[in-house]
Amino acid sequence: MKASVVKIIGLIALSLLCIIQISMLWLGDMSSPNFLEIKNISRDEVGMRPKGIWANLGLAYKISENNREYHYLMHELFSGIRNEKASLKIEKNVDMTYEMLMRMQGIVYEYAVALTLEELVGNPLEKYDKSIITDCLFVDISTSSENKVNVYLINSATNEISKMVLHQTLEGHKKMIATLSEQAAVSDWTVYQPSSTSDRKQYLTNNVFLPLISKASPLYYEQLTISNNLEKMEEKEKLEQLEEYVTSFFTNPLLKQIDKKEDGTILFSENLRAIVKYNPIGTMEFNILAPNEPNKLTKLERLQKVESFINDCSGIPEYLKKGIYLAQAWQEGEDYIYRFNYKYNGFNLQFREEARKELEINSVIELTLRSNQVIKGKWILLDIQPSERAEAKGSSVTRGYGEIIDLMYTLGGQMKENNMQLTNLECNYIVNQLEGNLKMDWVVTYGNGRYYP
Amino acid sequence: MKRMNKTFLLLAFICIGLYAQAIYANDTVVSGSNMKLVEETNGDKKTVNLTSEDSYIRITLDANKYYPTTFETQLNLEGGAKEGTNIVIKVNSISTDKEDTVLILDTKEYKVVPIGSTKSFNQLIELFDGKNEINLTYTHVKDKKINGTMTFVIEKFTEKDKSKMLELSKPEINALTPLK
């Protein structure tokens, strides 16, 4: 009797082990570049979207948000940091420079705003130094081993670099570097030179990834068109579309008031509690009357509130949600203001001053948080899409960064005399009108201004 | 005891291997024409620059990456020159036969943008497997310098060569570590 019971238990145990091992074998294998599709990851879970993700192998490659790998890498890193929990130790001010880092193979996450680690990850983290803010993460693959990866946190304003050890494998990150090392995989990718390891690093304050462009190897880009398709619709259709956009603002959407003005502006309101306004130039703005409460959310909670607002807002176009990233965040009295920029396929859209003045807007999305709620906001409602014209294919930038630096040096007398440095130079889609094609060209940030050489 | 002996032997081999690698890597004897090696020290960073004899062109050699050998297919060739110089870079895939004659197997040409106010240039070039003869032709109209040339050789190793090199320098490690 006893013998047969033991045998049965043994049989069940072995078959369970078999099932577990087979599932591990099937689902644990990452040998192919097709990473498993990660569906239904809420924005909160993934973490703060970086301005750019780069794979540095001496020369670097950009991983744009159109690649599945972009989302997989973010998920892998941030869940790795979350899982570290109790043993998360950050060593402040290690003896490391940007130049030394760019000589190592690794994955770089660039942000436009410096935040604390838990703000980047999107969840509160225990027992770590909250005074460390970073706007650039470097996941060091060159010295990584099984269950140990060094992650450097860089603050480009102060040049402070801190180091964190993750007791994770980060298999996806390793695989990314290995795949990109094979020439075949990147034969038509644009190659970037990290400025801190280049000859011209003295002309730039921080590390910038400079595309290696020349007449022999131009930067081909997808031409985009911008237009206000709402204004081209029939009145009825336009109103229907707008009503779809504003539903999330009202508790009783069917009872809202619609007020059409002569200049084309349309106001949607509900007992003056919420007012949503559509401007025919191509923007939407809203104002919510909220009871005055003292602000008791933490910085992280405020960020989470803003992020989930964007996620849930029916008024913000889907394509916009996919490409935006936090560009500025600051406090004015009781208000917390957040500005977002937009990038398409890895390239930022730079709205020139005349376009911004016409739209009467400061950034692609601007939100204000007060009394623990997002109470005010404005964003663009224009349609930005790939152009369908035949000549649009094969558009390219042919000037290299050297030419641009030379131009700035010649034109900016101050720069030459005072050994001043450029903050940034990159290729952006330039928006200088609200209807038509968008071309890509160099945008230089120097001092407080932007230049378009 | 036996384990300790094996560990010491392993350490000895590692030391010899690293020493050998260091010697090999330090060999910057460059074959070419119209050039000299100039060493510059910037603080604690040393750079070795290949400069043309008439000091018109300076190529920046990364002190951490030992030229003329590399594993990379693409190279951002950086350097400096006088403002107004026009440079054409030719990359020739060469091989030397038994009689030491140089055979050009393939070639690529790059026209560099004329040198501007920052007196520097950079050009992304593609290297062929094996020996690459880099030929820079430079012209400075004002100085009446026409078609000066500077040549040097960069050798690009393939993955096969890499594993061969590793095998030769660290035999004991290969015997102990399991093959992945």
Side-chain angles (χ1 to χ4, degrees), chain A residues 103 193 198-200 406 410, chain B residues 60 62 76 78 117-118 122:
Chain A
R103 293 194 196 283
Q193 167 75 51
S198 97
D199 241 6
R200 285 187 241 232
D406 282 339
T410 329
Chain B
T60 310
D62 202 337
N76 187 17
E78 291 185 296
S117 48
T118 54
N122 74 285

Side-chain angles (χ1 to χ4, degrees), chain A residues 57 61 105 176-186, chain B residues 72-73 159:
Chain A
L57 296 102
Y61 298 97
Q105 295 197 338
M176 190 88 226
I177 295 283
T179 311
L180 293 180
S181 301
E182 285 162 40
Q183 199 49 33
V186 292
Chain B
E72 313 291 333
T73 312
E159 285 301 306

Side-chain angles (χ1 to χ4, degrees), chain B residues 9-11 13-15 17-18 166-167 169-179:
Chain B
L9 207 65
L10 170 63
L11 282 169
F13 266 106
I14 294 172
C15 291
L18 287 172
L166 279 175
E167 268 177 41
S169 61
K170 299 175 189 176
E172 193 64 353
I173 294 186
N174 277 339
L176 289 175
T177 50
L179 291 166

